[in-house]
Amino acid sequence: MLHQKREHDGAGLKRRMEAELKTLGMRSAIFEPRLTAIPTEGAAFVHDGIALGPTGFDAVEFYLSPNLGQPPLPLARVASGGELSRVMLALKRLEAQRRGVATIIFDEVDAGIGGAVGEIVGRKLKQLARFHQILCVTHLAQIAAFADRHFAVEKEERRGSTRSSAAALDEADRPAEIARMLGGAETSDKFVRAGRELIERARE
């Protein structure tokens, strides 16, 4: 039955997700796909007291315990921005692996995470790029430093409208762009040196 298959596959997803989250700095995370019955109230079709929907009689919700000693709670309620970013990265990686997806797009994968975790995420994306084409939009220098090809995206307001442009950076230009991401408008020699160090560390 579909329900039994979901239970079986859910147990496998739990094991794989927890292993992935450990590599993303969430060493004690518990991840659980939970199945509950669709409520009969307001259901379009009910048979023998069981509500049926387009995908069967199961409702699926992800539960997460990001820290040791905390009970798993619904992902939408408990996850911070940084935790949600890492859960999505782990889910996308497993789905791409399962389906053999050629290209994966990550938009704002850096939401809610800081420098140290950003470097962990950047390294994971670099590993993924060995097997998939990765397109990543990020504001975090620690992630951008891992890029094989780096594009600077700018917005410009002109004549009552906003236009975006993207320019490919060569290796000589990257430290200055990383410096801009680190220091905002300030691109002093100190920030440029830090940008160069980030790029060199990403190559290790």
Side-chain angles (χ1 to χ4, degrees), residues 2-197:
L2 182 59
H3 177 76
Q4 280 73 30
K5 179 169 175 54
R6 282 176 173 153
E7 286 185 327
H8 177 271
D9 290 350
L13 178 60
K14 170 183 169 65
R15 290 192 300 271
R16 292 192 297 275
M17 278 294 293
E18 288 175 356
E20 282 292 316
L21 292 174
K22 282 183 180 179
T23 70
L24 292 168
M26 298 175 68
R27 300 187 181 280
S28 301
I30 298 173
F31 180 88
E32 295 180 355
R34 293 191 182 181
L35 303 178
T36 56
I38 295 175
T40 56
E41 184 179 351
F45 183 79
V46 179
H47 178 70
D48 290 340
I50 299 174
L52 297 176
T55 59
F57 57 74
D58 292 317
V60 183
E61 186 170 14
F62 293 149
Y63 278 62
L64 177 73
S65 169
N67 301 306
L68 184 66
Q70 295 180 347
L73 295 171
L75 180 63
R77 284 178 47 197
V78 71
S80 67
E83 290 158 354
L84 191 58
S85 293
R86 284 177 278 177
V87 168
M88 289 304 301
L89 174 56
L91 280 170
K92 281 194 171 187
R93 182 194 178 284
L94 292 179
E95 180 65 6
Q97 188 179 54
R98 184 180 72 86
R99 297 177 57 191
V101 175
T103 301
I104 312 173
I105 300 173
F106 293 96
D107 186 10
E108 309 288 351
V109 72
D110 54 17
I113 62 178
V117 175
E119 186 168 339
I120 293 172
V121 170
R123 204 165 291 280
K124 174 64 73 171
L125 290 170
K126 184 76 170 182
Q127 293 169 2
L128 270 177
R130 294 172 57 195
F131 308 102
H132 311 274
Q133 181 184 34
I134 304 297
L135 303 179
C136 179
V137 179
T138 182
H139 297 281
L140 199 62
Q142 286 82 356
I143 292 178
F146 284 90
D148 293 319
R149 292 287 291 156
H150 190 163
F151 293 81
V153 179
E154 295 183 350
K155 288 184 179 180
E156 181 184 16
E157 294 182 358
R158 186 192 302 175
R159 297 176 182 175
S161 65
T162 303
R163 300 179 65 179
S164 297
S165 62
L169 303 178
D170 59 30
E171 285 303 307
D173 294 330
R174 290 191 67 206
E177 177 61 17
I178 296 292
R180 188 193 63 77
M181 296 176 76
L182 285 169
E186 296 291 335
T187 55
S188 65
D189 290 344
K190 176 181 176 182
F191 282 111
V192 173
R193 285 196 302 271
R196 190 174 292 111
E197 289 174 8

